[in-house]
Amino acid sequence: MKRVAIALVALLPLAGVAQAQTVKDMLATLRAKWNAPTEPFKMIGNVYYVGTEGLASYLITSPQGHVLVDMVMPESTSLVKANIEKLDFKITDIKYILNTHAHIDHTGGLAEIKKASGARMVAGEADKSLLEGGYYPGAENNDALNFPPVKVDRTVREGDTVTVGDVTLTARETPGHSPGCTSWEFSVKDGDATRSALIFCSGTVALNRLVGDPTYFGIVADYRKTFARAKDMKVDVLLAPHPEMYKMQDKRAKLGEGGPNPFVNPGEFNAYAATLEKAFEDALVKQTAAQEKKG
């Protein structure tokens, strides 16, 4: 429990988290920001932010129906529903719900929104058992990290697609943060231009154990696979499960200034992935040293 608690400090750099002593206490601290409401808004083209202040949820719309990517904590599902309706979209018009990774802060409301919408649930193949079991890998007995299980209707691997109307999202396998961590790539209109957008799963170490008793077998190789793949990806619009990962609030504030859309920032993803790779390698060195000292 102590090892997990220490790791959770890296999950999100919020003030006051370090003072908490248990996973439950830390999550309570994080919840204050994760569950804070925020107004929904149009980001670019047919992409809308419908999440909370601290957790992202995206609605990608089409006349034939919509795709919802990720949810928030279980207790904040009503906020996402209200945000969708504030934008004059219907919950029942959601045809697919996609998940980036099976952690409580992005899965908590999946079961409820699936029931309310009647949508099909889609996720990375290696995360299926986690979503249907409602637990964090390597911490199955830690109730603080559990979430309402959700039935997965379809699993995806690299290159698989999900299509509604003229919207097509392509699954990109970016494992490590979770075994089936899946980023979602798609095109979006920006005026007369077409941009490449990516909802990046994650590449942080966070709670994960990399050595000794790893969170799951092959985790180190998976992270390195993700960072190698990221180097070749061309992304104009970076989105992610946590707004601070791509400075969402700063970009949102610039939307009304009349200039180019601030969410278009080619090269941002590659630079961000490089910082994650360094943080991963540093964490691997530290965890390895701690394991050797312990052994």
Side-chain angles (χ1 to χ4, degrees):
M1 176 65 77
K2 184 178 180 182
R3 178 169 54 182
V4 174
I6 292 172
L8 188 56
V9 175
L11 190 59
L12 193 63
L14 296 178
V17 172
Q19 280 70 43
Q21 297 300 310
T22 68
V23 172
K24 185 176 181 180
D25 289 341
M26 289 181 179
L27 282 174
T29 302
L30 293 169
R31 273 183 164 96
K33 182 175 181 66
W34 282 355
N35 291 334
T38 192
E39 288 298 308
F41 69 102
K42 179 177 179 177
M43 307 182 87
I44 183 171
N46 60 336
V47 181
Y48 298 83
Y49 188 91
V50 294
T52 62
E53 182 180 325
L55 295 174
S57 183
Y58 303 99
L59 189 72
I60 305 169
T61 66
S62 84
Q64 292 75 31
H66 317 313
V67 177
L68 183 69
V69 183
D70 277 349
M71 274 299 289
V72 294
M73 296 293 282
E75 62 269 24
S76 289
T77 306
S78 60
L79 295 178
V80 174
K81 289 180 178 178
N83 281 345
I84 292 171
E85 291 169 348
K86 280 181 183 179
L87 295 169
D88 292 327
F89 296 114
K90 296 179 180 178
I91 304 295
T92 51
D93 284 339
I94 299 171
K95 303 303 182 185
Y96 290 97
I97 301 167
L98 312 184
N99 184 230
T100 57
H101 59 286
H103 292 169
I104 185 174
D105 43 338
H106 312 295
T107 64
L110 289 177
E112 184 176 339
I113 199 76
K114 184 178 191 288
K115 182 178 180 180
S117 65
R120 287 171 57 80
M121 180 74 227
V122 183
E125 186 176 280
D127 273 5
K128 181 177 188 285
S129 61
L130 306 179
L131 289 166
E132 295 189 340
Y135 61 87
Y136 191 99
E140 291 82 352
N141 297 321
N142 191 331
D143 293 344
L145 298 173
N146 290 349
F147 53 87
V150 60
K151 173 146 182 16
V152 178
D153 298 299
R154 179 187 167 197
T155 61
V156 291
R157 297 295 304 267
E158 173 69 20
D160 289 341
T161 60
V162 174
T163 299
V164 177
D166 59 356
V167 172
T168 295
L169 295 99
T170 300
R172 304 303 307 270
E173 290 185 339
T174 49
H177 191 69
S178 78
C181 207
T182 301
S183 299
W184 294 96
E185 189 174 53
F186 59 101
S187 295
V188 63
K189 285 290 187 181
D190 175 28
D192 294 330
T194 299
R195 308 293 188 184
S196 171
L198 182 74
I199 301 176
F200 179 54
C201 175
S202 187
T204 64
V205 173
L207 289 173
N208 288 329
R209 303 182 302 274
L210 305 176
V211 298
D213 176 25
T215 295
Y216 69 90
F217 179 77
I219 189 171
V220 170
D222 273 358
Y223 270 108
R224 287 179 170 155
K225 173 183 174 182
T226 289
F227 297 132
R229 174 162 285 156
K231 290 179 172 65
D232 295 327
M233 295 177 71
K234 306 301 181 185
V235 177
D236 297 319
V237 179
L238 170 63
L239 305 174
H242 290 276
E244 67 275 7
M245 293 169 75
Y246 60 102
K247 301 180 177 64
M248 189 269 280
Q249 296 291 2
D250 292 344
K251 293 173 183 176
R252 178 176 186 171
K254 296 177 182 177
L255 270 177
E257 296 179 358
N261 190 301
F263 288 98
V264 178
N265 188 0
E268 180 183 15
F269 168 67
N270 306 94
Y272 177 56
T275 66
L276 293 176
E277 182 175 18
K278 183 180 185 307
F280 161 77
E281 295 294 348
D282 289 346
L284 181 59
V285 169
K286 291 178 181 178
Q287 289 193 25
T288 299
Q291 181 67 24
E292 290 174 349
K293 183 177 181 181
K294 180 181 176 182

PDB file of all heavy atoms in Angstrom, residues 157-186:
ATOM      1  N   ARG A 157      -7.067  -3.171 -32.021  1.00  0.00           N
ATOM      2  CA  ARG A 157      -5.617  -3.222 -32.061  1.00  0.00           C
ATOM      3  C   ARG A 157      -5.132  -2.120 -33.004  1.00  0.00           C
ATOM      4  O   ARG A 157      -5.931  -1.366 -33.575  1.00  0.00           O
ATOM      5  CB  ARG A 157      -5.133  -4.593 -32.545  1.00  0.00           C
ATOM      6  CG  ARG A 157      -5.505  -5.769 -31.645  1.00  0.00           C
ATOM      7  CD  ARG A 157      -4.832  -5.702 -30.277  1.00  0.00           C
ATOM      8  NE  ARG A 157      -3.391  -5.601 -30.342  1.00  0.00           N
ATOM      9  CZ  ARG A 157      -2.558  -6.653 -30.308  1.00  0.00           C
ATOM     10  NH1 ARG A 157      -3.058  -7.879 -30.221  1.00  0.00           N
ATOM     11  NH2 ARG A 157      -1.252  -6.484 -30.341  1.00  0.00           N
ATOM     12  N   GLU A 158      -3.844  -2.021 -33.194  1.00  0.00           N
ATOM     13  CA  GLU A 158      -3.242  -0.996 -34.041  1.00  0.00           C
ATOM     14  C   GLU A 158      -3.878  -0.963 -35.432  1.00  0.00           C
ATOM     15  O   GLU A 158      -3.956  -1.981 -36.123  1.00  0.00           O
ATOM     16  CB  GLU A 158      -1.737  -1.246 -34.158  1.00  0.00           C
ATOM     17  CG  GLU A 158      -1.000  -0.355 -35.144  1.00  0.00           C
ATOM     18  CD  GLU A 158      -0.919   1.100 -34.696  1.00  0.00           C
ATOM     19  OE1 GLU A 158      -1.081   1.364 -33.487  1.00  0.00           O
ATOM     20  OE2 GLU A 158      -0.696   1.963 -35.555  1.00  0.00           O
ATOM     21  N   GLY A 159      -4.341   0.234 -35.815  1.00  0.00           N
ATOM     22  CA  GLY A 159      -4.875   0.438 -37.154  1.00  0.00           C
ATOM     23  C   GLY A 159      -6.352   0.176 -37.311  1.00  0.00           C
ATOM     24  O   GLY A 159      -6.934   0.495 -38.370  1.00  0.00           O
ATOM     25  N   ASP A 160      -7.003  -0.415 -36.300  1.00  0.00           N
ATOM     26  CA  ASP A 160      -8.446  -0.635 -36.385  1.00  0.00           C
ATOM     27  C   ASP A 160      -9.177   0.714 -36.363  1.00  0.00           C
ATOM     28  O   ASP A 160      -8.683   1.688 -35.774  1.00  0.00           O
ATOM     29  CB  ASP A 160      -8.940  -1.506 -35.227  1.00  0.00           C
ATOM     30  CG  ASP A 160      -8.492  -2.950 -35.348  1.00  0.00           C
ATOM     31  OD1 ASP A 160      -8.121  -3.361 -36.467  1.00  0.00           O
ATOM     32  OD2 ASP A 160      -8.512  -3.660 -34.326  1.00  0.00           O
ATOM     33  N   THR A 161     -10.352   0.759 -36.976  1.00  0.00           N
ATOM     34  CA  THR A 161     -11.086   2.026 -37.066  1.00  0.00           C
ATOM     35  C   THR A 161     -12.491   1.931 -36.492  1.00  0.00           C
ATOM     36  O   THR A 161     -13.086   0.858 -36.444  1.00  0.00           O
ATOM     37  CB  THR A 161     -11.178   2.510 -38.526  1.00  0.00           C
ATOM     38  OG1 THR A 161     -11.866   1.527 -39.305  1.00  0.00           O
ATOM     39  CG2 THR A 161      -9.797   2.755 -39.110  1.00  0.00           C
ATOM     40  N   VAL A 162     -12.996   3.076 -36.079  1.00  0.00           N
ATOM     41  CA  VAL A 162     -14.377   3.235 -35.632  1.00  0.00           C
ATOM     42  C   VAL A 162     -14.972   4.374 -36.454  1.00  0.00           C
ATOM     43  O   VAL A 162     -14.403   5.473 -36.485  1.00  0.00           O
ATOM     44  CB  VAL A 162     -14.456   3.565 -34.126  1.00  0.00           C
ATOM     45  CG1 VAL A 162     -15.890   3.869 -33.721  1.00  0.00           C
ATOM     46  CG2 VAL A 162     -13.883   2.424 -33.298  1.00  0.00           C
ATOM     47  N   THR A 163     -16.097   4.126 -37.111  1.00  0.00           N
ATOM     48  CA  THR A 163     -16.675   5.118 -38.019  1.00  0.00           C
ATOM     49  C   THR A 163     -18.139   5.380 -37.712  1.00  0.00           C
ATOM     50  O   THR A 163     -18.922   4.450 -37.497  1.00  0.00           O
ATOM     51  CB  THR A 163     -16.548   4.656 -39.483  1.00  0.00           C
ATOM     52  OG1 THR A 163     -15.154   4.503 -39.820  1.00  0.00           O
ATOM     53  CG2 THR A 163     -17.169   5.663 -40.436  1.00  0.00           C
ATOM     54  N   VAL A 164     -18.487   6.670 -37.675  1.00  0.00           N
ATOM     55  CA  VAL A 164     -19.875   7.124 -37.604  1.00  0.00           C
ATOM     56  C   VAL A 164     -20.012   8.251 -38.616  1.00  0.00           C
ATOM     57  O   VAL A 164     -19.344   9.283 -38.492  1.00  0.00           O
ATOM     58  CB  VAL A 164     -20.264   7.635 -36.204  1.00  0.00           C
ATOM     59  CG1 VAL A 164     -21.697   8.147 -36.227  1.00  0.00           C
ATOM     60  CG2 VAL A 164     -20.114   6.551 -35.165  1.00  0.00           C
ATOM     61  N   GLY A 165     -20.866   8.080 -39.628  1.00  0.00           N
ATOM     62  CA  GLY A 165     -21.008   9.112 -40.638  1.00  0.00           C
ATOM     63  C   GLY A 165     -19.676   9.406 -41.294  1.00  0.00           C
ATOM     64  O   GLY A 165     -18.993   8.494 -41.783  1.00  0.00           O
ATOM     65  N   ASP A 166     -19.283  10.693 -41.292  1.00  0.00           N
ATOM     66  CA  ASP A 166     -18.011  11.064 -41.909  1.00  0.00           C
ATOM     67  C   ASP A 166     -16.875  11.150 -40.883  1.00  0.00           C
ATOM     68  O   ASP A 166     -15.799  11.685 -41.178  1.00  0.00           O
ATOM     69  CB  ASP A 166     -18.149  12.399 -42.652  1.00  0.00           C
ATOM     70  CG  ASP A 166     -18.588  13.548 -41.743  1.00  0.00           C
ATOM     71  OD1 ASP A 166     -18.863  13.300 -40.550  1.00  0.00           O
ATOM     72  OD2 ASP A 166     -18.665  14.695 -42.228  1.00  0.00           O
ATOM     73  N   VAL A 167     -17.109  10.625 -39.693  1.00  0.00           N
ATOM     74  CA  VAL A 167     -16.084  10.615 -38.645  1.00  0.00           C
ATOM     75  C   VAL A 167     -15.456   9.232 -38.547  1.00  0.00           C
ATOM     76  O   VAL A 167     -16.154   8.232 -38.354  1.00  0.00           O
ATOM     77  CB  VAL A 167     -16.690  10.994 -37.270  1.00  0.00           C
ATOM     78  CG1 VAL A 167     -15.670  10.791 -36.164  1.00  0.00           C
ATOM     79  CG2 VAL A 167     -17.194  12.422 -37.294  1.00  0.00           C
ATOM     80  N   THR A 168     -14.145   9.158 -38.695  1.00  0.00           N
ATOM     81  CA  THR A 168     -13.418   7.898 -38.536  1.00  0.00           C
ATOM     82  C   THR A 168     -12.245   8.114 -37.592  1.00  0.00           C
ATOM     83  O   THR A 168     -11.418   9.011 -37.810  1.00  0.00           O
ATOM     84  CB  THR A 168     -12.903   7.370 -39.883  1.00  0.00           C
ATOM     85  OG1 THR A 168     -14.009   7.028 -40.716  1.00  0.00           O
ATOM     86  CG2 THR A 168     -12.051   6.119 -39.679  1.00  0.00           C
ATOM     87  N   LEU A 169     -12.193   7.308 -36.547  1.00  0.00           N
ATOM     88  CA  LEU A 169     -11.073   7.346 -35.612  1.00  0.00           C
ATOM     89  C   LEU A 169     -10.268   6.066 -35.760  1.00  0.00           C
ATOM     90  O   LEU A 169     -10.839   4.968 -35.851  1.00  0.00           O
ATOM     91  CB  LEU A 169     -11.562   7.487 -34.167  1.00  0.00           C
ATOM     92  CG  LEU A 169     -12.286   8.795 -33.848  1.00  0.00           C
ATOM     93  CD1 LEU A 169     -13.793   8.580 -33.891  1.00  0.00           C
ATOM     94  CD2 LEU A 169     -11.865   9.330 -32.479  1.00  0.00           C
ATOM     95  N   THR A 170      -8.955   6.210 -35.781  1.00  0.00           N
ATOM     96  CA  THR A 170      -8.054   5.073 -35.939  1.00  0.00           C
ATOM     97  C   THR A 170      -7.342   4.796 -34.627  1.00  0.00           C
ATOM     98  O   THR A 170      -6.785   5.712 -34.002  1.00  0.00           O
ATOM     99  CB  THR A 170      -7.014   5.353 -37.037  1.00  0.00           C
ATOM    100  OG1 THR A 170      -7.694   5.599 -38.272  1.00  0.00           O
ATOM    101  CG2 THR A 170      -6.074   4.175 -37.205  1.00  0.00           C
ATOM    102  N   ALA A 171      -7.362   3.545 -34.199  1.00  0.00           N
ATOM    103  CA  ALA A 171      -6.703   3.147 -32.958  1.00  0.00           C
ATOM    104  C   ALA A 171      -5.197   3.076 -33.159  1.00  0.00           C
ATOM    105  O   ALA A 171      -4.718   2.451 -34.105  1.00  0.00           O
ATOM    106  CB  ALA A 171      -7.241   1.795 -32.499  1.00  0.00           C
ATOM    107  N   ARG A 172      -4.457   3.714 -32.265  1.00  0.00           N
ATOM    108  CA  ARG A 172      -2.993   3.620 -32.254  1.00  0.00           C
ATOM    109  C   ARG A 172      -2.571   3.022 -30.915  1.00  0.00           C
ATOM    110  O   ARG A 172      -2.861   3.593 -29.854  1.00  0.00           O
ATOM    111  CB  ARG A 172      -2.353   5.007 -32.435  1.00  0.00           C
ATOM    112  CG  ARG A 172      -2.788   5.768 -33.679  1.00  0.00           C
ATOM    113  CD  ARG A 172      -2.524   5.000 -34.975  1.00  0.00           C
ATOM    114  NE  ARG A 172      -1.150   4.551 -35.109  1.00  0.00           N
ATOM    115  CZ  ARG A 172      -0.164   5.257 -35.675  1.00  0.00           C
ATOM    116  NH1 ARG A 172      -0.428   6.466 -36.151  1.00  0.00           N
ATOM    117  NH2 ARG A 172       1.056   4.764 -35.789  1.00  0.00           N
ATOM    118  N   GLU A 173      -1.942   1.881 -30.972  1.00  0.00           N
ATOM    119  CA  GLU A 173      -1.511   1.208 -29.746  1.00  0.00           C
ATOM    120  C   GLU A 173      -0.354   1.972 -29.120  1.00  0.00           C
ATOM    121  O   GLU A 173       0.706   2.108 -29.722  1.00  0.00           O
ATOM    122  CB  GLU A 173      -1.102  -0.230 -30.043  1.00  0.00           C
ATOM    123  CG  GLU A 173      -2.268  -1.133 -30.408  1.00  0.00           C
ATOM    124  CD  GLU A 173      -1.828  -2.581 -30.584  1.00  0.00           C
ATOM    125  OE1 GLU A 173      -0.630  -2.822 -30.816  1.00  0.00           O
ATOM    126  OE2 GLU A 173      -2.693  -3.472 -30.497  1.00  0.00           O
ATOM    127  N   THR A 174      -0.562   2.466 -27.893  1.00  0.00           N
ATOM    128  CA  THR A 174       0.480   3.190 -27.154  1.00  0.00           C
ATOM    129  C   THR A 174       0.531   2.646 -25.724  1.00  0.00           C
ATOM    130  O   THR A 174       0.251   3.371 -24.763  1.00  0.00           O
ATOM    131  CB  THR A 174       0.189   4.703 -27.161  1.00  0.00           C
ATOM    132  OG1 THR A 174      -1.183   4.928 -26.766  1.00  0.00           O
ATOM    133  CG2 THR A 174       0.410   5.297 -28.536  1.00  0.00           C
ATOM    134  N   PRO A 175       0.878   1.366 -25.553  1.00  0.00           N
ATOM    135  CA  PRO A 175       0.805   0.711 -24.246  1.00  0.00           C
ATOM    136  C   PRO A 175       1.900   1.150 -23.284  1.00  0.00           C
ATOM    137  O   PRO A 175       2.892   1.764 -23.678  1.00  0.00           O
ATOM    138  CB  PRO A 175       0.954  -0.766 -24.612  1.00  0.00           C
ATOM    139  CG  PRO A 175       1.837  -0.741 -25.826  1.00  0.00           C
ATOM    140  CD  PRO A 175       1.390   0.468 -26.598  1.00  0.00           C
ATOM    141  N   GLY A 176       1.702   0.798 -22.026  1.00  0.00           N
ATOM    142  CA  GLY A 176       2.658   1.124 -20.970  1.00  0.00           C
ATOM    143  C   GLY A 176       1.912   1.697 -19.785  1.00  0.00           C
ATOM    144  O   GLY A 176       1.874   1.101 -18.711  1.00  0.00           O
ATOM    145  N   HIS A 177       1.285   2.829 -19.998  1.00  0.00           N
ATOM    146  CA  HIS A 177       0.490   3.438 -18.923  1.00  0.00           C
ATOM    147  C   HIS A 177      -0.596   2.463 -18.469  1.00  0.00           C
ATOM    148  O   HIS A 177      -0.920   2.375 -17.290  1.00  0.00           O
ATOM    149  CB  HIS A 177      -0.111   4.747 -19.423  1.00  0.00           C
ATOM    150  CG  HIS A 177      -0.722   5.583 -18.350  1.00  0.00           C
ATOM    151  ND1 HIS A 177       0.009   6.215 -17.357  1.00  0.00           N
ATOM    152  CD2 HIS A 177      -2.017   5.909 -18.104  1.00  0.00           C
ATOM    153  CE1 HIS A 177      -0.800   6.881 -16.558  1.00  0.00           C
ATOM    154  NE2 HIS A 177      -2.036   6.709 -16.980  1.00  0.00           N
ATOM    155  N   SER A 178      -1.161   1.750 -19.424  1.00  0.00           N
ATOM    156  CA  SER A 178      -2.003   0.581 -19.158  1.00  0.00           C
ATOM    157  C   SER A 178      -1.681  -0.432 -20.246  1.00  0.00           C
ATOM    158  O   SER A 178      -1.141  -0.065 -21.300  1.00  0.00           O
ATOM    159  CB  SER A 178      -3.502   0.929 -19.158  1.00  0.00           C
ATOM    160  OG  SER A 178      -3.993   1.065 -20.476  1.00  0.00           O
ATOM    161  N   PRO A 179      -1.995  -1.709 -20.053  1.00  0.00           N
ATOM    162  CA  PRO A 179      -1.639  -2.719 -21.057  1.00  0.00           C
ATOM    163  C   PRO A 179      -2.263  -2.449 -22.424  1.00  0.00           C
ATOM    164  O   PRO A 179      -1.628  -2.673 -23.453  1.00  0.00           O
ATOM    165  CB  PRO A 179      -2.179  -4.017 -20.449  1.00  0.00           C
ATOM    166  CG  PRO A 179      -2.289  -3.756 -18.988  1.00  0.00           C
ATOM    167  CD  PRO A 179      -2.606  -2.304 -18.851  1.00  0.00           C
ATOM    168  N   GLY A 180      -3.507  -1.963 -22.421  1.00  0.00           N
ATOM    169  CA  GLY A 180      -4.197  -1.714 -23.684  1.00  0.00           C
ATOM    170  C   GLY A 180      -4.344  -0.247 -24.012  1.00  0.00           C
ATOM    171  O   GLY A 180      -5.252   0.150 -24.756  1.00  0.00           O
ATOM    172  N   CYS A 181      -3.465   0.567 -23.462  1.00  0.00           N
ATOM    173  CA  CYS A 181      -3.511   2.018 -23.673  1.00  0.00           C
ATOM    174  C   CYS A 181      -3.630   2.324 -25.171  1.00  0.00           C
ATOM    175  O   CYS A 181      -2.766   1.945 -25.959  1.00  0.00           O
ATOM    176  CB  CYS A 181      -2.236   2.633 -23.107  1.00  0.00           C
ATOM    177  SG  CYS A 181      -2.351   4.330 -22.556  1.00  0.00           S
ATOM    178  N   THR A 182      -4.701   3.001 -25.552  1.00  0.00           N
ATOM    179  CA  THR A 182      -4.987   3.249 -26.960  1.00  0.00           C
ATOM    180  C   THR A 182      -5.197   4.736 -27.202  1.00  0.00           C
ATOM    181  O   THR A 182      -6.037   5.369 -26.565  1.00  0.00           O
ATOM    182  CB  THR A 182      -6.248   2.482 -27.404  1.00  0.00           C
ATOM    183  OG1 THR A 182      -6.048   1.080 -27.193  1.00  0.00           O
ATOM    184  CG2 THR A 182      -6.554   2.729 -28.872  1.00  0.00           C
ATOM    185  N   SER A 183      -4.424   5.275 -28.131  1.00  0.00           N
ATOM    186  CA  SER A 183      -4.626   6.656 -28.562  1.00  0.00           C
ATOM    187  C   SER A 183      -5.507   6.638 -29.800  1.00  0.00           C
ATOM    188  O   SER A 183      -5.510   5.670 -30.559  1.00  0.00           O
ATOM    189  CB  SER A 183      -3.274   7.310 -28.873  1.00  0.00           C
ATOM    190  OG  SER A 183      -2.447   7.332 -27.718  1.00  0.00           O
ATOM    191  N   TRP A 184      -6.245   7.722 -29.990  1.00  0.00           N
ATOM    192  CA  TRP A 184      -7.213   7.767 -31.089  1.00  0.00           C
ATOM    193  C   TRP A 184      -6.874   8.901 -32.038  1.00  0.00           C
ATOM    194  O   TRP A 184      -6.833  10.064 -31.652  1.00  0.00           O
ATOM    195  CB  TRP A 184      -8.624   7.915 -30.536  1.00  0.00           C
ATOM    196  CG  TRP A 184      -9.052   6.700 -29.768  1.00  0.00           C
ATOM    197  CD1 TRP A 184      -8.990   6.513 -28.405  1.00  0.00           C
ATOM    198  CD2 TRP A 184      -9.573   5.483 -30.315  1.00  0.00           C
ATOM    199  NE1 TRP A 184      -9.453   5.251 -28.088  1.00  0.00           N
ATOM    200  CE2 TRP A 184      -9.824   4.595 -29.230  1.00  0.00           C
ATOM    201  CE3 TRP A 184      -9.876   5.060 -31.614  1.00  0.00           C
ATOM    202  CZ2 TRP A 184     -10.335   3.320 -29.405  1.00  0.00           C
ATOM    203  CZ3 TRP A 184     -10.387   3.787 -31.803  1.00  0.00           C
ATOM    204  CH2 TRP A 184     -10.621   2.931 -30.705  1.00  0.00           C
ATOM    205  N   GLU A 185      -6.628   8.542 -33.293  1.00  0.00           N
ATOM    206  CA  GLU A 185      -6.199   9.489 -34.325  1.00  0.00           C
ATOM    207  C   GLU A 185      -7.356   9.744 -35.299  1.00  0.00           C
ATOM    208  O   GLU A 185      -8.057   8.807 -35.693  1.00  0.00           O
ATOM    209  CB  GLU A 185      -5.003   8.898 -35.060  1.00  0.00           C
ATOM    210  CG  GLU A 185      -4.286   9.826 -36.011  1.00  0.00           C
ATOM    211  CD  GLU A 185      -3.037   9.171 -36.572  1.00  0.00           C
ATOM    212  OE1 GLU A 185      -3.139   8.036 -37.115  1.00  0.00           O
ATOM    213  OE2 GLU A 185      -1.950   9.765 -36.458  1.00  0.00           O
ATOM    214  N   PHE A 186      -7.539  10.997 -35.698  1.00  0.00           N
ATOM    215  CA  PHE A 186      -8.615  11.319 -36.630  1.00  0.00           C
ATOM    216  C   PHE A 186      -8.333  12.664 -37.292  1.00  0.00           C
ATOM    217  O   PHE A 186      -7.451  13.416 -36.860  1.00  0.00           O
ATOM    218  CB  PHE A 186      -9.972  11.346 -35.920  1.00  0.00           C
ATOM    219  CG  PHE A 186     -10.079  12.338 -34.787  1.00  0.00           C
ATOM    220  CD1 PHE A 186     -10.724  13.548 -34.962  1.00  0.00           C
ATOM    221  CD2 PHE A 186      -9.532  12.052 -33.539  1.00  0.00           C
ATOM    222  CE1 PHE A 186     -10.821  14.465 -33.917  1.00  0.00           C
ATOM    223  CE2 PHE A 186      -9.633  12.956 -32.482  1.00  0.00           C
ATOM    224  CZ  PHE A 186     -10.274  14.166 -32.679  1.00  0.00           C
TER     225      PHE A 186
END
